[in-house]
Amino acid sequence: MIPTEDASARKRVIEDKLKQEQETLSFIRESLEKSDQLTKGMVSILSSFESRLMQLENSIIPVHKQTENLQRLQENVDKTLSCMDHVISYYHVAKDTDKIIREGPSGRLDEYLACIAKIQKAVEYFQDNNPDSPELNTVKARFEKGKELLEAEFRGQLTRYSKPVPPVLILDAIGGDEDMEVQEDVMLEHLPEAALQDIICISAWLVEYGRNQDFMNVYFQVRSSQLDRSIKGLKEHFRKNSASSAIHSPAVQTKRKETPTKKAPKRPGTIRKAQNLLKQYSQHGLDGKKGSNLTPLEGKDDVLDIEIDSYIHCISAFVKLAQSEYALLTEIIPEHHQKKTFDSLIQEALDNLMLEGDNIISAARRAIMRHDYSAVLTIFPILRHLKQTKPDFDVTLQGTAASTKNKLPALITSMETIGAKALEEFADSIKNDPDKEYNMPKDGTVHELTSNAILFLQQLLDFQETAGAMLASQESSSSASSYSSEFSRRLLSTYIYKVLGNLQLNLSNKAKVYEDPALRAVFLHNNYNYILKSLEKSELIQLVAVTHKKVESSYRELIEQEIQNYQRSWLKVTEHLTERNIPAFQPGTKLKDKERQIIKDKFKGFNEGLEELCKIQKGWAVPDKEQRDAIRQAQKTVVSDAYKAFLQRCANISFTKNPEKYHRYAPEQVEEMIDKLFDTSA
């Protein structure tokens, strides 16, 4: 049971808490009432504000819409006026551009092209919007007139400024001056820079807007003419300056800082030397008659040399000028038309060069028909240069038509064919040269056929690769299809050996013309010795040795054999000095008449034989001093020794009352007489 005091206390506490809670509840009610009042006031204010905003919106929106419409109308009016002005301007284009179009683009290309652009826009407008209007025909006519004048300006500027390249500048470009230690790279300027830029600009416009390709035909025609004239000018330069060393001043078109004064280019003297020597030997024939088929081009050496050198330089000039033309063309002609235009541009000059080459071949062919085989020498330097130049030719003509690219190879093939024909016919002519008695040297010296043949072969040394290729080109074997330089060299070696063999055979036949076996031997000795010495001096011996290593020893054997054959001619002299038929006797013994006569006959036979041989052989010739001295010395030794022995044998024999009648010559006199052999001046 809870005490009473505790219950009362708890009750008071509960009542106090209840009272506090009631007070709190009353405070909350009062707060809620105030909040409700405030909320009602705010709602009232917001409702009033919303009402006013609605009134404002209803007033402003119509004004805004009206203003927006007015602005749109203003813009439309402005656009309409602008379009009207633009359209109206098209109707005035013809009138506004009339003066500029009539006066042409010369001197004001940019202004003229701007004027053409206006006309072009007018044409496009009328075509799109009013194709039936008369104004379209007017502006079309004006556009065509403008395009026509642009084409005329293109042709005019191209023609006006396109000039042939001066020969001296071409020679600089191809390195034609051998005196210059260092060849500079010469740039050729075909057109002034200002004119070039105008031409490029007109070309670009005609391609893009003019829809016209006729200007490309104009371009290749004008430039083709200048290319051909440049090469012809170089050719004329050679004709005028070939015999002199005229000084030329450089053209201003070069981009080099300095250009030294130039002499006329040096010409290779190989052909001229060979032909002059051939001519010289042919003129030294007996009785002024020629027996060899190696007839030189008389009176034409210089002219031919000039033509050869000129043609070689023109070939190089064509390559250099064509390369320069292509570089210029790429700046002016659209890319997809460049190769075709370039092909057309070079045709005239290329055809003229090929025609000239064909003429050279025809001239060589005619000369070969006349058995003038020295004419093939004109082919060698040209053919060698063509083959050296062919790689540059191929690069330059890359992209042109097959017919264009095949022209040079066809010319090379023709030259190789005619050259090989000349070489083979020359070898046959050496073998078949007729044995004409009147053409044989009376003194037994070197025959004209020998000297001419050796001279001809010596020229092949300067063109070994070319000559070998000529011979290889005619080979039908599989190895010849891809012949190497070594293969060509072996063919040339075999060919030279063949010519030498034919020459030896012919000389042997010719020698039979001589009735005197000794003169026959001297003749063959001189010719064989000349051949051997010429082979050694000219290095032909090394070339022949590629396939025939014993050629030198063979000729030495032939020479020695002919010396022995010659020495047999003295047997009729020395046979009188032998002890055969000389009677045996004792000193002081008296000889019989028959025995005395034998000794007299021996002296007489020796004296007469010696005098006869010395008289005859004094008029013979052994041009080689070393050989001449050796032959004399050998003969002196044989004859003098035999004569001295004979004199000693007969010294104590009394065979005549007049010994000086028979003993005419002392051994020293005999030696002096032999020393005068082969000496027409003695």
Side-chain angles (χ1 to χ4, degrees):
M1 187 170 182
I2 299 173
T4 305
E5 291 86 359
D6 290 341
S8 298
R10 287 191 66 183
K11 181 178 180 183
R12 285 192 301 268
V13 171
I14 291 171
E15 289 176 351
D16 291 339
K17 286 183 179 181
L18 179 61
K19 184 177 181 181
Q20 289 176 356
E21 291 295 333
Q22 288 175 346
E23 289 175 356
T24 301
L25 180 60
S26 297
F27 176 77
I28 291 172
R29 282 193 184 101
E30 290 175 0
S31 296
L32 285 173
E33 289 175 357
K34 288 180 180 181
S35 176
D36 287 340
Q37 291 176 358
L38 290 173
T39 300
K40 290 179 180 179
M42 181 60 68
V43 169
S44 176
I45 293 171
L46 289 174
S47 298
S48 175
F49 183 70
E50 181 182 7
S51 175
R52 292 179 180 181
L53 281 177
M54 290 180 64
Q55 291 177 359
L56 180 61
E57 181 180 355
N58 292 333
S59 300
I60 292 301
I61 286 178
V63 174
H64 173 72
K65 289 182 178 180
Q66 186 176 7
T67 303
E68 187 178 33
N69 290 335
L70 289 174
Q71 288 177 342
R72 190 180 296 110
L73 290 174
Q74 181 65 38
E75 289 175 0
N76 290 339
V77 170
D78 292 341
K79 289 181 180 179
T80 302
L81 291 175
S82 176
C83 289
M84 291 296 294
D85 290 340
H86 183 67
V87 171
I88 291 171
S89 68
Y90 289 134
Y91 286 87
H92 295 290
V93 163
K95 180 179 178 182
D96 294 341
T97 59
D98 180 65
K99 181 180 179 181
I100 296 176
I101 295 300
R102 280 190 290 104
E103 292 177 353
S106 182
R108 51 176 180 181
L109 182 61
D110 292 340
E111 181 183 3
Y112 191 85
L113 290 178
C115 186
I116 290 287
K118 292 181 181 179
I119 298 173
Q120 187 176 8
K121 289 180 179 179
V123 171
E124 293 172 355
Y125 170 80
F126 287 118
Q127 284 178 336
D128 294 339
N129 298 282
N130 195 0
D132 298 327
S133 65
E135 286 79 7
L136 176 59
N137 295 331
T138 302
V139 291
K140 270 188 174 181
R142 190 61 48 84
F143 181 80
E144 292 300 324
K145 179 65 175 178
K147 184 172 72 171
E148 180 182 328
L149 291 177
L150 276 175
E151 293 172 359
E153 180 69 8
F154 181 90
R155 178 190 291 272
Q157 289 218 38
L158 191 63
T159 304
R160 188 181 314 119
Y161 294 108
S162 291
K163 305 294 181 185
V165 181
V168 65
L169 193 58
I170 297 176
L171 292 174
D172 277 345
I174 63 177
D177 191 350
E178 298 177 0
D179 293 334
M180 293 178 62
E181 295 182 359
V182 179
Q183 293 294 339
E184 300 182 37
D185 189 14
V186 180
M187 301 298 294
L188 301 176
E189 287 187 354
H190 297 286
L191 298 170
E193 186 62 27
L196 176 60
Q197 293 306 318
D198 282 353
I199 290 172
I200 292 173
C201 190
I202 295 174
S203 168
W205 188 92
L206 290 173
V207 171
E208 185 175 358
Y209 302 109
R211 305 292 190 272
N212 184 0
Q213 297 181 6
D214 292 343
F215 77 95
M216 299 180 197
N217 296 331
V218 172
Y219 180 84
F220 89 71
Q221 289 168 2
V222 173
R223 295 307 308 170
S224 174
S225 175
Q226 298 309 318
L227 174 60
D228 190 53
R229 288 175 62 190
S230 296
I231 295 176
K232 287 179 178 177
L234 178 62
K235 191 181 303 181
E236 187 64 25
H237 172 81
F238 273 94
R239 290 197 181 101
K240 289 181 178 179
N241 298 280
S242 58
S244 64
S245 56
I247 304 300
H248 306 281
S249 59
V252 296
Q253 290 159 294
T254 179
K255 287 187 175 179
R256 293 168 17 178
K257 294 181 179 179
E258 295 180 358
T259 303
T261 55
K262 288 182 61 60
K263 296 180 180 180
K266 296 179 181 178
R267 300 188 304 275
T270 302
I271 304 304
R272 173 179 291 178
K273 180 182 73 173
Q275 291 168 341
N276 283 342
L277 289 173
L278 291 174
K279 182 177 179 180
Q280 178 183 358
Y281 275 99
S282 69
Q283 291 175 338
H284 291 169
L286 288 175
D287 303 324
K289 298 177 181 178
K290 301 174 185 176
S292 170
N293 287 335
L294 260 178
T295 307
L297 302 179
E298 299 180 15
K300 297 182 180 180
D301 296 347
D302 291 344
V303 174
L304 183 60
D305 195 21
I306 296 165
E307 292 298 327
I308 293 171
D309 199 34
S310 172
Y311 187 69
I312 287 174
H313 280 81
C314 285
I315 290 291
S316 296
F318 172 81
V319 174
K320 178 63 70 173
L321 291 172
Q323 292 171 348
S324 181
E325 286 290 346
Y326 187 75
L328 177 66
L329 178 143
T330 56
E331 296 187 70
I332 298 172
I333 304 300
E335 183 177 358
H336 53 287
H337 292 287
Q338 289 173 0
K339 293 297 184 181
K340 182 179 179 181
T341 304
F342 179 68
D343 196 344
S344 301
L345 189 154
I346 61 173
Q347 283 303 315
E348 183 177 3
L350 181 58
D351 286 344
N352 287 338
L353 285 176
M354 296 302 106
L355 177 60
E356 190 172 350
D358 290 338
N359 290 339
I360 292 172
I361 293 173
S362 298
R365 185 179 290 110
R366 290 192 298 270
I368 292 169
M369 292 177 65
R370 299 193 305 269
H371 306 295
D372 174 13
Y373 300 108
S374 65
V376 74
L377 298 176
T378 65
I379 299 292
F380 280 101
I382 295 175
L383 179 58
R384 178 173 65 182
H385 186 72
L386 289 178
K387 297 181 80 170
Q388 289 173 347
T389 311
K390 186 177 181 297
D392 290 335
F393 243 95
D394 293 341
V395 172
T396 303
L397 302 185
Q398 189 176 7
T400 58
S403 58
T404 301
K405 290 186 286 191
N406 291 335
K407 287 180 179 179
L408 182 66
L411 180 62
I412 290 175
T413 300
S414 297
M415 284 193 173
E416 286 187 330
T417 301
I418 194 66
K421 177 179 174 62
L423 291 175
E424 291 301 327
E425 291 197 12
F426 167 74
D428 292 339
S429 74
I430 295 298
K431 181 179 180 179
N432 301 319
D433 188 74
D435 305 329
K436 299 178 181 178
E437 184 175 352
Y438 64 76
N439 196 48
M440 295 296 291
K442 293 180 179 180
D443 57 359
T445 190
V446 178
H447 195 277
E448 177 193 352
L449 177 68
T450 302
S451 58
N452 283 348
I454 294 299
L455 278 170
F456 185 91
L457 293 179
Q458 286 173 346
Q459 305 317 307
L460 300 184
L461 288 173
D462 292 326
F463 305 98
Q464 294 183 40
E465 187 174 346
T466 304
M470 280 182 178
L471 297 171
S473 68
Q474 305 305 304
E475 291 291 312
S476 58
S477 62
S478 58
S479 59
S481 61
S482 58
Y483 62 85
S484 62
S485 58
E486 181 60 27
F487 177 76
S488 301
R489 183 174 172 82
R490 293 184 66 84
L491 280 180
L492 183 58
S493 175
T494 302
Y495 170 78
I496 294 175
Y497 186 79
K498 175 183 177 182
V499 173
L500 293 175
N502 290 349
L503 179 60
Q504 180 181 337
L505 179 62
N506 197 310
L507 289 172
S508 298
N509 292 331
K510 288 184 185 300
K512 296 175 183 178
V513 172
Y514 295 114
E515 295 180 359
D516 190 332
L519 181 55
R520 188 182 308 153
V522 168
F523 170 76
L524 290 175
H525 163 271
N526 284 333
N527 281 270
Y528 293 153
N529 184 63
Y530 176 84
I531 293 171
L532 178 59
K533 291 296 177 66
S534 298
L535 292 177
E536 292 174 336
K537 289 180 180 179
S538 64
E539 299 180 2
L540 274 171
I541 197 78
Q542 289 92 333
L543 185 54
V544 179
V546 171
T547 53
H548 300 83
K549 299 186 181 301
K550 295 184 178 181
V551 65
E552 182 177 2
S553 59
S554 298
Y555 273 107
R556 293 197 185 281
E557 291 175 3
L558 288 172
I559 293 170
E560 184 59 33
Q561 180 181 334
E562 296 307 328
I563 291 176
Q564 293 175 6
N565 290 338
Y566 162 75
Q567 289 174 341
R568 292 192 185 98
S569 67
W570 283 85
L571 290 177
K572 66 180 181 180
V573 175
T574 57
E575 69 179 357
H576 297 290
L577 305 178
T578 62
E579 294 186 4
R580 184 168 51 86
N581 296 329
I582 295 180
F585 61 90
Q586 295 295 328
T589 303
K590 186 177 180 179
L591 299 178
K592 298 178 181 180
D593 291 343
K594 183 179 180 181
E595 292 173 336
R596 287 197 298 270
Q597 189 61 44
I598 290 175
I599 295 175
K600 289 179 182 180
D601 289 344
K602 283 184 175 293
F603 268 106
K604 183 180 179 181
F606 171 77
N607 292 334
E608 290 178 352
L610 176 66
E611 291 168 355
E612 181 185 1
L613 281 184
C614 288
K615 181 180 178 181
I616 293 173
Q617 295 185 9
K618 183 176 68 173
W620 296 353
V622 178
D624 188 320
K625 184 179 185 304
E626 182 181 347
Q627 288 286 316
R628 183 169 65 246
D629 292 344
I631 293 173
R632 286 173 176 172
Q633 185 59 44
Q635 208 57 53
K636 280 194 302 182
T637 301
V638 172
V639 177
S640 180
D641 289 351
Y643 188 49
K644 288 176 182 178
F646 176 75
L647 291 178
Q648 187 176 3
R649 180 78 175 81
C650 300
N652 298 320
I653 300 177
S654 177
F655 64 91
T656 180
K657 295 180 180 179
N658 301 308
E660 66 278 0
K661 176 180 178 181
Y662 298 96
H663 187 185
R664 298 179 190 175
Y665 304 105
E668 293 77 12
Q669 290 177 304
V670 173
E671 292 182 1
E672 289 178 3
M673 293 173 70
I674 295 176
D675 273 333
K676 294 179 180 179
L677 296 177
F678 317 123
D679 186 359
T680 56
S681 63

